[in-house]
Coordinates of all heavy atoms in Angstrom, one line a residue:
M1398 N -11.6 -3.7 17.4 CA -10.5 -3.5 16.4 C -9.5 -2.6 17.1 O -9.8 -1.5 17.7 CB -11.1 -2.6 15.2 CG -10.0 -2.3 14.2 SD -10.7 -1.5 12.8 CE -9.2 -0.8 12.0
T1399 N -8.3 -3.2 17.3 CA -7.3 -2.5 17.9 C -6.5 -1.5 17.0 O -6.4 -1.8 15.9 CB -6.3 -3.6 18.5 OG1 -5.9 -4.5 17.5 CG2 -6.8 -4.4 19.6
L1400 N -6.0 -0.5 17.7 CA -5.3 0.5 16.9 C -3.8 0.1 16.6 O -3.4 0.2 15.5 CB -5.2 1.9 17.7 CG -5.7 3.1 17.0 CD1 -7.0 3.0 16.4 CD2 -5.6 4.3 17.8
I1401 N -3.2 -0.4 17.6 CA -1.9 -0.9 17.4 C -1.9 -2.4 17.3 O -2.5 -3.1 18.1 CB -0.9 -0.5 18.6 CG1 -1.1 1.0 18.8 CG2 0.4 -0.9 18.4 CD1 -0.3 1.9 18.0
H1402 N -1.2 -3.0 16.3 CA -1.2 -4.4 16.1 C 0.0 -4.7 15.3 O 0.8 -3.9 14.8 CB -2.4 -4.9 15.3 CG -2.6 -4.2 14.0 ND1 -2.2 -4.7 12.9 CD2 -3.2 -2.9 13.6 CE1 -2.5 -3.8 11.9 NE2 -3.1 -2.7 12.3
G1403 N 0.3 -6.0 15.1 CA 1.4 -6.4 14.5 C 1.4 -6.2 13.0 O 0.3 -6.1 12.4
C1404 N 2.5 -6.1 12.3 CA 2.7 -5.8 10.9 C 2.0 -7.0 10.1 O 2.1 -8.1 10.6 CB 4.1 -5.7 10.5 SG 4.5 -5.6 8.7
G1405 N 1.4 -6.7 9.0 CA 0.7 -7.7 8.3 C 1.5 -8.6 7.5 O 1.1 -9.7 7.0
K1406 N 2.9 -8.3 7.5 CA 3.9 -9.2 6.8 C 4.3 -10.3 7.6 O 4.6 -10.2 8.7 CB 5.1 -8.3 6.5 CG 6.1 -9.0 5.5 CD 5.7 -8.6 4.1 CE 6.7 -9.2 3.2 NZ 6.4 -9.0 1.7
P1407 N 4.0 -11.5 7.1 CA 4.4 -12.7 7.8 C 5.8 -12.7 8.3 O 6.7 -12.5 7.5 CB 4.1 -13.9 6.9 CG 3.2 -13.3 5.8 CD 3.5 -11.9 5.8
G1408 N 6.0 -13.0 9.6 CA 7.3 -13.0 10.2 C 7.8 -11.7 10.8 O 8.9 -11.7 11.4
C1409 N 7.1 -10.6 10.5 CA 7.4 -9.3 11.0 C 6.7 -9.1 12.2 O 5.4 -9.1 12.2 CB 7.2 -8.3 9.9 SG 7.6 -6.6 10.4
R1410 N 7.3 -8.7 13.4 CA 6.6 -8.5 14.6 C 6.6 -6.9 14.9 O 6.3 -6.6 16.0 CB 7.4 -9.2 15.7 CG 7.1 -10.7 15.6 CD 8.1 -11.6 16.4 NE 7.7 -12.9 16.4 CZ 7.1 -13.6 17.4 NH1 6.8 -12.9 18.5 NH2 6.8 -14.9 17.3
T1411 N 7.0 -6.2 14.1 CA 6.9 -4.7 14.2 C 5.5 -4.3 14.5 O 4.5 -4.6 13.7 CB 7.6 -3.9 13.1 OG1 8.8 -4.4 12.8 CG2 7.6 -2.4 13.4
L1412 N 5.2 -3.4 15.6 CA 3.9 -3.0 15.8 C 3.6 -1.7 14.9 O 4.5 -1.0 14.7 CB 3.8 -2.6 17.3 CG 3.9 -3.7 18.3 CD1 3.7 -3.2 19.7 CD2 2.6 -4.7 18.0
T1413 N 2.4 -1.6 14.4 CA 2.0 -0.6 13.6 C 0.6 -0.2 13.7 O -0.2 -1.0 14.4 CB 2.2 -1.0 12.1 OG1 1.8 0.0 11.2 CG2 1.4 -2.2 11.7
M1414 N 0.1 0.9 13.3 CA -1.3 1.4 13.2 C -1.9 1.1 11.9 O -3.1 1.1 11.7 CB -1.4 2.8 13.6 CG -1.1 3.1 15.0 SD -1.2 4.9 15.4 CE -2.9 5.2 15.2
G1415 N -1.1 0.8 10.9 CA -1.6 0.5 9.5 C -1.6 -0.9 9.2 O -1.6 -1.7 10.2
T1416 N -1.6 -1.2 8.0 CA -1.7 -2.7 7.6 C -0.4 -3.3 7.9 O -0.2 -4.4 8.4 CB -2.1 -2.9 6.2 OG1 -3.3 -2.2 6.0 CG2 -2.4 -4.3 5.9
F1417 N 0.8 -2.5 7.5 CA 2.1 -3.0 7.7 C 2.9 -2.0 8.5 O 2.4 -0.8 8.7 CB 2.7 -3.1 6.2 CG 2.0 -4.1 5.5 CD1 1.3 -3.8 4.3 CD2 2.0 -5.5 5.7 CE1 0.7 -4.7 3.4 CE2 1.4 -6.4 4.9 CZ 0.7 -6.0 3.6
C1418 N 4.0 -2.4 8.9 CA 4.9 -1.4 9.6 C 5.5 -0.5 8.5 O 5.2 -0.7 7.3 CB 6.1 -2.1 10.2 SG 7.2 -3.0 9.1
L1419 N 6.1 0.5 9.0 CA 6.5 1.7 8.0 C 7.4 1.0 6.9 O 7.2 1.3 5.8 CB 7.4 2.6 8.9 CG 7.4 4.1 8.1 CD1 6.0 4.7 8.2 CD2 8.4 4.9 8.9
E1420 N 8.2 0.1 7.2 CA 9.2 -0.5 6.2 C 8.4 -1.3 5.2 O 8.6 -1.1 4.0 CB 10.2 -1.4 7.0 CG 11.2 -2.0 6.0 CD 12.0 -3.1 6.7 OE1 12.0 -3.1 7.9 OE2 12.4 -4.0 6.1
H1421 N 7.5 -2.1 5.7 CA 6.8 -2.9 4.8 C 5.7 -2.2 4.0 O 5.1 -2.5 3.0 CB 6.3 -4.2 5.5 CG 7.4 -5.2 5.8 ND1 7.5 -5.7 7.0 CD2 8.3 -5.7 5.0 CE1 8.6 -6.5 7.0 NE2 9.0 -6.5 5.8
E1422 N 5.2 -1.2 4.7 CA 4.1 -0.2 4.1 C 4.8 0.4 2.9 O 4.1 0.4 1.8 CB 3.7 0.7 5.1 CG 2.4 1.6 4.6 CD 2.2 2.8 5.5 OE1 2.2 2.6 6.6 OE2 2.2 3.9 4.9
Q1423 N 6.0 0.9 3.0 CA 6.7 1.5 1.9 C 6.8 0.5 0.7 O 6.8 0.8 -0.5 CB 7.9 2.1 2.4 CG 7.8 3.5 3.1 CD 9.1 3.9 3.8 OE1 10.1 3.3 3.7 NE2 8.9 5.1 4.2
A1424 N 7.2 -0.7 1.2 CA 7.5 -1.7 0.1 C 6.2 -2.1 -0.7 O 6.1 -2.2 -1.8 CB 8.0 -3.0 0.8
A1425 N 5.2 -2.1 0.1 CA 3.8 -2.4 -0.5 C 3.4 -1.3 -1.4 O 2.7 -1.5 -2.4 CB 2.6 -2.7 0.6
E1426 N 3.7 0.0 -0.9 CA 3.3 1.1 -1.7 C 4.1 1.2 -3.0 O 3.5 1.4 -4.1 CB 3.7 2.4 -0.9 CG 2.7 3.6 -1.1 CD 3.0 4.8 -0.2 OE1 2.6 4.6 1.0 OE2 3.5 5.7 -0.7
A1427 N 5.4 0.8 -3.0 CA 6.2 0.8 -4.2 C 5.7 -0.2 -5.1 O 5.6 -0.1 -6.4 CB 7.6 0.5 -3.7
R1428 N 5.2 -1.4 -4.5 CA 4.7 -2.5 -5.4 C 3.4 -2.1 -6.1 O 3.2 -2.2 -7.3 CB 4.4 -3.8 -4.5 CG 5.2 -4.8 -4.9 CD 4.8 -6.2 -4.3 NE 4.0 -6.2 -3.1 CZ 4.5 -6.2 -1.9 NH1 5.7 -6.4 -1.7 NH2 3.7 -6.3 -0.9
L1429 N 2.6 -1.3 -5.2 CA 1.3 -0.8 -5.8 C 1.5 0.2 -6.9 O 0.9 0.3 -7.9 CB 0.3 -0.3 -4.6 CG -1.0 0.2 -5.1 CD1 -1.8 -1.0 -5.4 CD2 -1.7 0.8 -3.8
R1430 N 2.6 1.1 -6.7 CA 2.8 2.2 -7.7 C 3.3 1.5 -9.0 O 2.9 1.9 -10.0 CB 3.9 3.0 -7.1 CG 3.4 4.0 -6.2 CD 4.1 5.4 -6.4 NE 4.0 6.2 -5.2 CZ 4.7 6.2 -4.1 NH1 5.8 5.3 -4.1 NH2 4.5 7.0 -3.1
S1431 N 4.2 0.5 -8.9 CA 4.6 -0.2 -10.1 C 3.4 -0.9 -10.8 O 3.4 -1.0 -12.0 CB 5.8 -1.2 -9.8 OG 5.2 -2.3 -9.2
R1432 N 2.4 -1.3 -10.0 CA 1.3 -2.0 -10.6 C 0.5 -1.0 -11.3 O 0.0 -1.2 -12.4 CB 0.5 -2.6 -9.5 CG -0.4 -3.8 -10.0 CD -1.3 -4.3 -8.9 NE -0.6 -4.8 -7.8 CZ -1.1 -5.0 -6.6 NH1 -2.2 -4.7 -6.3 NH2 -0.4 -5.5 -5.7
I1433 N 0.2 0.2 -10.7 CA -0.4 1.3 -11.3 C 0.2 1.7 -12.7 O -0.4 1.8 -13.7 CB -0.5 2.4 -10.4 CG1 -1.4 2.2 -9.2 CG2 -1.1 3.7 -11.1 CD1 -1.4 3.2 -8.1
R1434 N 1.6 1.8 -12.6 CA 2.3 2.2 -13.7 C 2.1 1.2 -14.9 O 1.9 1.5 -16.1 CB 3.9 2.3 -13.4 CG 4.6 3.4 -14.2 CD 6.0 3.5 -13.7 NE 6.0 3.8 -12.3 CZ 6.9 3.2 -11.4 NH1 7.7 2.3 -11.8 NH2 7.0 3.7 -10.1
R1435 N 2.2 -0.2 -14.6 CA 1.9 -1.2 -15.5 C 0.6 -1.1 -16.2 O 0.4 -1.2 -17.3 CB 2.1 -2.6 -14.8 CG 3.4 -3.3 -15.4 CD 3.4 -4.8 -15.1 NE 2.6 -5.2 -13.9 CZ 3.2 -5.3 -12.7 NH1 4.5 -4.9 -12.5 NH2 2.6 -5.7 -11.6
I1436 N -0.4 -0.9 -15.3 CA -1.9 -0.8 -15.8 C -1.9 0.4 -16.7 O -2.6 0.4 -17.8 CB -2.8 -0.6 -14.5 CG1 -2.9 -2.0 -13.8 CG2 -4.2 -0.1 -15.1 CD1 -3.6 -1.7 -12.5
S1437 N -1.4 1.5 -16.3 CA -1.6 2.8 -17.2 C -0.8 2.6 -18.5 O -1.3 3.1 -19.5 CB -1.2 4.0 -16.5 OG 0.1 3.8 -16.0
R1438 N 0.3 1.9 -18.4 CA 1.1 1.8 -19.6 C 0.4 0.8 -20.6 O 0.4 1.0 -21.8 CB 2.4 1.1 -19.2 CG 3.5 1.4 -20.4 CD 4.8 0.6 -20.1 NE 5.3 0.9 -18.8 CZ 5.9 -0.1 -18.0 NH1 5.9 -1.2 -18.3 NH2 6.4 0.4 -16.9
R1439 N -0.2 -0.2 -20.0 CA -1.0 -1.1 -20.8 C -2.2 -0.4 -21.5 O -2.5 -0.8 -22.6 CB -1.6 -2.2 -19.9 CG -1.5 -3.7 -20.6 CD -2.2 -4.6 -19.7 NE -1.5 -5.0 -18.6 CZ -2.0 -5.4 -17.4 NH1 -3.3 -5.5 -17.4 NH2 -1.3 -5.7 -16.4
G1440 N -2.7 0.5 -20.8 CA -3.8 1.4 -21.4 C -5.1 0.6 -21.5 O -6.1 1.0 -22.0
R1441 N -5.2 -0.6 -21.0 CA -6.3 -1.4 -21.1 C -7.4 -1.2 -19.9 O -8.5 -1.4 -20.0 CB -6.0 -2.9 -21.2 CG -6.6 -3.6 -22.4 CD -6.3 -5.1 -22.5 NE -4.8 -5.4 -22.8 CZ -4.3 -6.6 -22.4 NH1 -5.0 -7.5 -21.6 NH2 -3.1 -6.8 -22.7
G1442 N -6.8 -0.9 -18.8 CA -7.6 -0.8 -17.6 C -8.4 0.5 -17.6 O -7.9 1.5 -18.0
P1443 N -9.7 0.4 -17.2 CA -10.5 1.6 -17.2 C -9.9 2.7 -16.1 O -9.2 2.2 -15.2 CB -11.9 1.1 -16.8 CG -11.6 -0.2 -16.1 CD -10.3 -0.8 -16.7
A1444 N -10.3 3.9 -16.4 CA -9.8 5.0 -15.5 C -10.2 4.7 -14.1 O -9.5 5.1 -13.1 CB -10.4 6.3 -16.0
I1445 N -11.3 4.1 -13.8 CA -11.7 3.9 -12.5 C -10.7 2.9 -11.7 O -10.6 3.1 -10.5 CB -13.2 3.2 -12.3 CG1 -13.7 3.2 -11.0 CG2 -13.2 1.8 -13.0 CD1 -14.0 4.5 -10.4
T1446 N -10.1 1.9 -12.4 CA -9.1 1.1 -11.7 C -8.0 1.9 -11.2 O -7.5 1.7 -10.1 CB -8.6 0.1 -12.8 OG1 -9.6 -0.6 -13.3 CG2 -7.7 -0.9 -12.1
F1447 N -7.5 2.9 -12.0 CA -6.5 3.7 -11.6 C -6.8 4.6 -10.4 O -6.1 4.7 -9.5 CB -6.1 4.7 -12.9 CG -5.0 5.6 -12.5 CD1 -3.7 5.2 -12.6 CD2 -5.3 7.0 -12.3 CE1 -2.7 6.1 -12.3 CE2 -4.2 7.9 -12.0 CZ -2.9 7.5 -12.1
A1448 N -8.1 5.1 -10.4 CA -8.6 6.0 -9.4 C -8.6 5.2 -8.0 O -8.3 5.7 -7.1 CB -10.0 6.6 -9.7
V1449 N -9.2 4.1 -8.2 CA -9.3 3.2 -6.9 C -7.8 2.8 -6.4 O -7.7 2.9 -5.1 CB -10.1 1.8 -7.2 CG1 -9.8 0.7 -6.1 CG2 -11.5 2.1 -7.6
A1450 N -6.9 2.5 -7.2 CA -5.5 2.2 -6.8 C -5.0 3.5 -6.0 O -4.4 3.3 -5.1 CB -4.7 1.8 -8.0
V1451 N -5.1 4.6 -6.6 CA -4.6 5.9 -6.1 C -5.3 6.2 -4.7 O -4.6 6.5 -3.7 CB -4.9 7.1 -7.0 CG1 -4.6 8.4 -6.3 CG2 -4.1 7.0 -8.3
A1452 N -6.6 5.8 -4.7 CA -7.3 6.1 -3.3 C -6.7 5.1 -2.3 O -6.6 5.5 -1.2 CB -8.8 5.7 -3.6
A1453 N -6.4 3.8 -2.8 CA -5.9 2.9 -1.8 C -4.6 3.3 -1.3 O -4.3 3.1 0.0 CB -5.7 1.6 -2.5
V1454 N -3.8 3.9 -2.1 CA -2.4 4.3 -1.6 C -2.6 5.5 -0.7 O -2.0 5.6 0.4 CB -1.6 4.9 -2.9 CG1 -0.4 5.7 -2.4 CG2 -1.2 3.8 -3.7
A1455 N -3.5 6.4 -1.0 CA -3.7 7.6 -0.1 C -4.3 7.2 1.1 O -3.9 7.7 2.2 CB -4.9 8.6 -0.9
A1456 N -5.3 6.1 1.2 CA -5.8 5.7 2.4 C -4.8 5.0 3.3 O -4.7 5.2 4.5 CB -7.0 4.8 2.0
G1457 N -3.9 4.2 2.6 CA -2.9 3.6 3.4 C -1.8 4.5 4.0 O -1.5 4.3 5.1
R1458 N -1.6 5.5 3.2 CA -0.7 6.6 3.8 C -1.3 7.3 4.9 O -0.7 7.5 5.9 CB -0.3 7.6 2.6 CG 0.8 8.4 3.0 CD 1.1 9.4 1.9 NE 1.5 8.6 0.7 CZ 1.4 9.1 -0.6 NH1 0.8 10.2 -0.8 NH2 1.9 8.4 -1.6
A1459 N -2.7 7.6 4.9 CA -3.2 8.4 5.9 C -3.4 7.6 7.1 O -3.0 8.2 8.2 CB -4.7 8.8 5.4
S1460 N -3.8 6.4 7.1 CA -3.9 5.6 8.2 C -2.6 5.2 8.9 O -2.5 5.1 10.0 CB -4.7 4.2 8.0 OG -3.8 3.5 7.0
G1461 N -1.5 5.1 8.1 CA -0.2 4.9 8.6 C 0.5 6.0 9.2 O 1.5 5.8 10.0
R1462 N 0.2 7.2 8.8 CA 0.8 8.5 9.4 C 0.1 9.1 10.5 O 0.4 10.1 11.1 CB 1.0 9.4 8.2 CG 1.7 9.0 7.1 CD 3.2 8.8 7.4 NE 4.0 8.5 6.2 CZ 4.1 7.4 5.5 NH1 3.3 6.3 6.1 NH2 4.8 7.2 4.4
L1463 N -1.0 8.5 11.0 CA -1.9 9.1 12.0 C -1.2 9.3 13.3 O -1.2 10.3 14.1 CB -3.2 8.3 12.3 CG -4.4 8.7 11.2 CD1 -5.5 7.8 11.5 CD2 -4.7 10.2 11.4
G1464 N -0.4 8.3 13.7 CA 0.4 8.3 14.9 C 1.6 9.1 14.9 O 2.6 8.6 15.4
Ligands
LIG2281 ZN1 6.7 -5.2 8.8

């Protein structure tokens, strides 16, 4: 497993340590946040779904900011 690799976004060649480059990571994060907002607004998703989504955001942020 390499530490530095290309961004996960198709067509983007920016090197990153996370799944996406900084730009696309922020876009993915914003998408995830709006998804969380939708889930919580709906009130149908169990609390664990919200917790897992928050953990995913935190994990993505941590791996993306290491370098
Ligand atoms: Zn990118």
Side-chain angles (χ1 to χ4, degrees):
M1398 184 177 164
T1399 49
L1400 225 59
I1401 307 280
H1402 55 94
C1404 171
K1406 192 89 174 174
C1409 180
R1410 287 164 176 256
T1411 307
L1412 292 175
T1413 178
M1414 287 174 71
T1416 308
F1417 301 109
C1418 69
L1419 205 64
E1420 182 189 336
H1421 288 127
E1422 189 194 310
Q1423 283 171 351
E1426 213 173 285
R1428 244 193 340 267
L1429 187 58
R1430 277 217 200 90
S1431 71
R1432 201 184 304 157
I1433 291 170
R1434 217 175 298 135
R1435 247 195 333 271
I1436 289 169
S1437 56
R1438 201 192 301 142
R1439 217 187 289 150
R1441 237 188 281 155
I1445 188 70
T1446 306
F1447 180 79
V1449 166
V1451 170
V1454 171
R1458 188 179 299 154
S1460 64
R1462 300 293 190 278
L1463 278 176

